[in-house]
Structures are given as C-alpha cells and as structure tokens.
Amino acid sequence: MNDVIIIGSGCAGLTAAIYAGRANLKPIVIDGFEPGGQLSLTTMVENFPGFPDGILGPDLIENMRKQAERFGTEFKAGAIAEVDLSKRPFKIATAKDSFETRALIIASGASARMIGLDAERKLIGYGVSTCATCDGYFFRGKEIAVVGGGDTAMEEATFLSKFASRVNLVHRRSEFRASKIMVDRARANDKIRFLTPFAVDEISDVTKNGVENVTLRNTQTNETSILPVEGVFIAIGHEPNTKAFRGQLDMDENGYLITHDGSQTNVPGVFAAGDVQDHHYRQAVTAAGSGCMAAIDAEKFLGALKGV
Ligand code: NAP
C-alpha cells in the first residue's frame, strides 16, 4: 500500500514528486509512455526561471528527476494499462506491475498531435516545434511555416509574426476551424501568408539536422511544391492523455480533466496537475506550479485520512 502514486514524469509529475518526497510520502512515479514529457522533446528552454543562460529541456528534466530521487521517489517504467478509482485504495496497473494507493496524482500530460512524418519526430527541437511560446524567439528574422487551421494555429502564427520575417500558415483545407475573429486577425497581419489547401508531405533535411524546406501538396490537385523555410511549427492540436480515466473522472469536451479547489478532481483523493488539466497555459513553469499544488493537496488529504 502506497500513500501517493504519481502518473507521469514530466515537469508536473516530477515537481509533485519533489514535494511529496519532502513530505515523507515516499512517492512512486510511473514514467508513462513519454518519460520526461514534452520538455524531453525540446532543446533550449529559456523561459524557466532560474536559468539566465537557458537550459536544455532534457537536462532540466534530468535535474528534476535527480531532485525527486534525492527525496525518496521511486520510479517505475511503463504506461498505465488499467485504473480503478471506484473505491480506495485506488488500483493502478501497468503491463508489469500493479499498485494500490491512498492518493493519486495524475500528471500524464497532453501530447501534441503530429502530422505523422518521420522527419517531424527526428527534427523536433531542431527546427520543428510544437510550442510557439517556447521556441518563437529562436526564429528571429527567419521564414517559417505554421501548420494547422484551428485557433491554436492562428494564435501561434500571430505570435510568431513578432519574430519571424514571414509566417506561412499552411492548412489542408481552404475553410478554417478557427473562430472568425482569429482568422481575421491573422489575415490582417501582413507578415502572415495563408497557403491553402496544402498538406505538408515532407520536411527536409534530416541528414543536416535542421529544417531547410517543406514539401507542400495541394490537396485538391495533388501537385507538389517546395517551400523554403527554416522552421516548422506544428499547431494541429493536443490530445490529453486521459483515456485510462474515461468514465471515472470528469473531463471537458476535449478530454481534459476538470479540477476544482486547486488540483482536486471529482474523486476525493485523486488530484491532477499539468497539461492533463490545462489546455490554456501549457508552460513548464505552470505545470511545475500545479504539480506542487497537487502534492500539497494530496498531503493534506492523507493527513485528514490519518487524523493528523
Ligand atoms: P483544433 O480546433 O482541433 O484544430 C486543429 C486543426 O489542425 C484543424 O484545422 C485540423 O484540420 C488540423 N489538423 C488536424 N490534424 C491534422 C493533420 N494530421 N494534418 C494536418 N492538419 C491537421 O485544435 P486547436 O487549434 O489546438 O484548438 C483546440 C481547442 O482550443 C479549440 O476548442 C480552440 O477553440 C481552443 N483554442 C482557443 C484559443 C483562443 O480562443 N485564444 C486559442 C487556442 C485554442 P481540419 O480543420 O481540416 O480538421
């Protein structure tokens, strides 16, 4: 029987582990299918406070992991296969292990949707990004592409126009899912060029470890063309990693966990932190902050259970 299990080993989960460890709760962190979360998929992080010269995302995560270990956190590899939150102790199983816990912190994150190209995965952090706020600054004076036709794509294109020499907004249809006001704002921006209806069929050049161009395919005529760009922002949405909790925890229409009074979910003793419950801010520092909140909330909950 454990006091607290934390699902997810990104910024939110590891911060929760540091706090829970320091509260002597001997947390277990289940790594998940993307250990380290989104920070482990990025290169330089320049907006996490405390690092005036920036820090590499994987190094930041590694430091947090060591810090959590120092306070007694145990790490278990693997993703969640089954969860039973119908009564306490909660039951959690991965393919290899099963656990029982009095309190649970869910920090399983949200994964950026990807187009599905091999080059996209290989070049992430090397010209391909899923976060304009994080990486926009690196593309000062450069021509880039933003892929997507929703509000995120419009917002990111508008934000990136502050840095880039030109933003090519590439969308597979000529109609937009984004709200009219966001489309109008992007259209009024003379640094943004709309390219529709185009799919991105390839990103080059993996052999040079950087982005030189994208191959666009007109989805109506199937004609292809090359667009020289130095960066590609994939802005086609995120998927919260909440499948295992469907039917057990309250979620919004996009599958994000709903929290109230800090980090509490609708099941007492189950807390949520980081991107799994936040599709608005999605920053490392806000994820860390909410991980801290979840650990403090879990500690308080356990204290009340034990009458201390
Ligand atoms: P979204 O609304 O689901 O839009 C995703 C876009 O990506 C769609 O245009 C879609 O094309 C395209 N897409 C999906 N898969 C693709 C693929 N494999 N290849 C190429 N294109 C692909 O996602 P979102 O823009 O991230 O927005 C999510 C939610 O957050 C929405 O409710 C949105 O309103 C909200 N949001 C609001 C704001 C704001 O108000 N400030 C800002 C950001 C997000 P199709 O249209 O062809 O399917």
Side-chain angles (χ1 to χ4, degrees):
M1 171 68 72
N2 300 281
D3 270 335
V4 62
I5 286 188
I6 298 165
I7 298 176
S9 56
C11 207
L14 294 177
T15 306
I18 292 165
Y19 274 77
R22 285 174 56 78
N24 230 353
L25 296 175
K26 299 187 175 54
I28 290 184
V29 170
I30 299 174
D31 274 342
F33 66 92
E34 269 175 16
Q38 297 204 48
L39 273 185
S40 60
L41 297 176
T42 188
T43 46
M44 193 51 88
V45 178
E46 290 188 327
N47 54 9
F48 200 88
F51 299 94
D53 302 319
I55 180 167
L56 290 170
D59 290 352
L60 181 56
I61 280 293
E62 189 52 32
N63 287 349
M64 288 185 195
R65 216 174 152 96
K66 283 192 192 138
Q67 199 173 349
E69 251 162 1
R70 185 179 148 213
F71 297 113
T73 301
E74 204 183 320
F75 288 91
K76 298 281 182 188
I80 296 303
E82 238 174 291
V83 179
D84 181 0
L85 307 178
S86 60
K87 55 181 185 309
R88 278 195 308 273
F90 305 123
K91 293 188 173 61
I92 291 131
T94 64
K96 259 186 20 207
D97 301 301
S98 47
F99 308 90
E100 290 193 342
T101 186
R102 293 185 183 93
L104 178 66
I105 296 175
I106 301 171
S108 48
S111 304
R113 263 188 226 137
M114 302 301 274
I115 302 169
L117 305 170
D118 200 33
E120 182 184 40
R121 286 264 167 220
K122 290 189 173 142
L123 291 173
I124 200 137
Y126 298 90
V128 173
S129 170
T130 55
C131 177
T133 320
C134 319
D135 298 329
Y137 194 72
F138 300 121
F139 294 88
R140 284 180 311 252
K142 297 183 175 168
E143 179 155 352
I144 59 169
V146 171
V147 184
D151 282 332
T152 301
M154 299 304 144
E155 196 170 67
E156 301 222 339
T158 304
F159 175 78
L160 288 164
S161 71
K162 288 190 237 163
F163 308 101
S165 57
R166 175 146 69 173
V167 178
N168 296 281
L169 189 112
V170 180
H171 178 40
R172 62 187 178 185
R173 294 185 299 134
S174 296
E175 303 75 38
F176 293 96
R177 202 173 284 273
S179 49
K180 186 175 176 310
I181 185 166
M182 305 277 277
V183 178
D184 289 349
R185 192 173 301 151
R187 280 207 193 276
N189 185 325
D190 55 18
K191 272 182 146 184
I192 301 177
R193 174 166 70 165
F194 279 61
L195 296 176
T196 67
F198 289 106
V200 174
D201 270 6
E202 191 50 276
I203 303 173
S204 294
D205 187 340
V206 170
T207 60
K208 294 185 185 151
N209 233 9
V211 173
E212 293 191 342
N213 62 63
V214 292
T215 306
L216 301 183
R217 176 175 46 82
N218 185 311
T219 55
Q220 282 166 4
T221 63
N222 268 335
E223 267 172 46
T224 58
S225 54
I226 302 286
L227 175 72
V229 285
E230 291 182 69
V232 181
F233 284 79
I234 313 288
I236 60 176
H238 284 79
E239 300 280 357
N241 299 315
T242 53
K243 218 159 110 190
F245 313 109
R246 271 187 209 151
Q248 304 194 64
L249 292 177
D250 288 349
M251 300 177 189
D252 69 12
E253 67 279 10
N254 294 315
Y256 287 87
L257 297 182
I258 296 174
T259 50
H260 64 92
D261 298 311
S263 64
Q264 300 183 49
T265 68
N266 59 306
V267 174
V270 179
F271 305 90
D275 289 8
V276 74
Q277 51 84 59
D278 166 31
H279 52 77
H280 184 64
Y281 297 104
R282 294 201 294 239
Q283 299 302 298
V285 68
T286 50
S290 72
C292 157
M293 287 160 63
I296 290 174
D297 291 344
E299 184 190 358
K300 196 167 158 209
F301 171 82
L302 289 165
L305 267 192
K306 293 174 185 169
V308 289

PDB file of all heavy atoms in Angstrom, residues 128-129 160 180 291:
ATOM      1  N   VAL A 128      11.833  21.951 -35.886  1.00  0.00           N
ATOM      2  CA  VAL A 128      10.414  21.608 -35.782  1.00  0.00           C
ATOM      3  C   VAL A 128      10.008  21.803 -34.324  1.00  0.00           C
ATOM      4  O   VAL A 128      10.730  21.379 -33.410  1.00  0.00           O
ATOM      5  CB  VAL A 128      10.143  20.151 -36.215  1.00  0.00           C
ATOM      6  CG1 VAL A 128       8.688  19.768 -35.940  1.00  0.00           C
ATOM      7  CG2 VAL A 128      10.450  19.970 -37.700  1.00  0.00           C
ATOM      8  N   SER A 129       8.879  22.486 -34.116  1.00  0.00           N
ATOM      9  CA  SER A 129       8.446  22.774 -32.749  1.00  0.00           C
ATOM     10  C   SER A 129       6.941  22.592 -32.636  1.00  0.00           C
ATOM     11  O   SER A 129       6.214  22.703 -33.626  1.00  0.00           O
ATOM     12  CB  SER A 129       8.812  24.212 -32.389  1.00  0.00           C
ATOM     13  OG  SER A 129       8.212  24.584 -31.167  1.00  0.00           O
ATOM     14  N   LEU A 160       4.058  34.347 -33.634  1.00  0.00           N
ATOM     15  CA  LEU A 160       5.360  34.146 -34.291  1.00  0.00           C
ATOM     16  C   LEU A 160       5.698  35.280 -35.260  1.00  0.00           C
ATOM     17  O   LEU A 160       6.879  35.498 -35.564  1.00  0.00           O
ATOM     18  CB  LEU A 160       5.355  32.791 -35.017  1.00  0.00           C
ATOM     19  CG  LEU A 160       5.401  31.585 -34.071  1.00  0.00           C
ATOM     20  CD1 LEU A 160       5.013  30.303 -34.801  1.00  0.00           C
ATOM     21  CD2 LEU A 160       6.780  31.437 -33.434  1.00  0.00           C
ATOM     22  N   LYS A 180     -13.749  33.126 -36.431  1.00  0.00           N
ATOM     23  CA  LYS A 180     -13.584  34.143 -37.474  1.00  0.00           C
ATOM     24  C   LYS A 180     -12.667  35.273 -37.005  1.00  0.00           C
ATOM     25  O   LYS A 180     -11.800  35.729 -37.755  1.00  0.00           O
ATOM     26  CB  LYS A 180     -14.973  34.679 -37.861  1.00  0.00           C
ATOM     27  CG  LYS A 180     -14.917  35.632 -39.025  1.00  0.00           C
ATOM     28  CD  LYS A 180     -16.292  36.052 -39.480  1.00  0.00           C
ATOM     29  CE  LYS A 180     -16.246  37.079 -40.599  1.00  0.00           C
ATOM     30  NZ  LYS A 180     -15.385  38.219 -40.365  1.00  0.00           N
ATOM     31  N   GLY A 291       1.960  20.985 -10.186  1.00  0.00           N
ATOM     32  CA  GLY A 291       2.468  19.752  -9.558  1.00  0.00           C
ATOM     33  C   GLY A 291       2.693  19.971  -8.072  1.00  0.00           C
ATOM     34  O   GLY A 291       2.358  19.120  -7.237  1.00  0.00           O
TER      35      GLY A 291
END
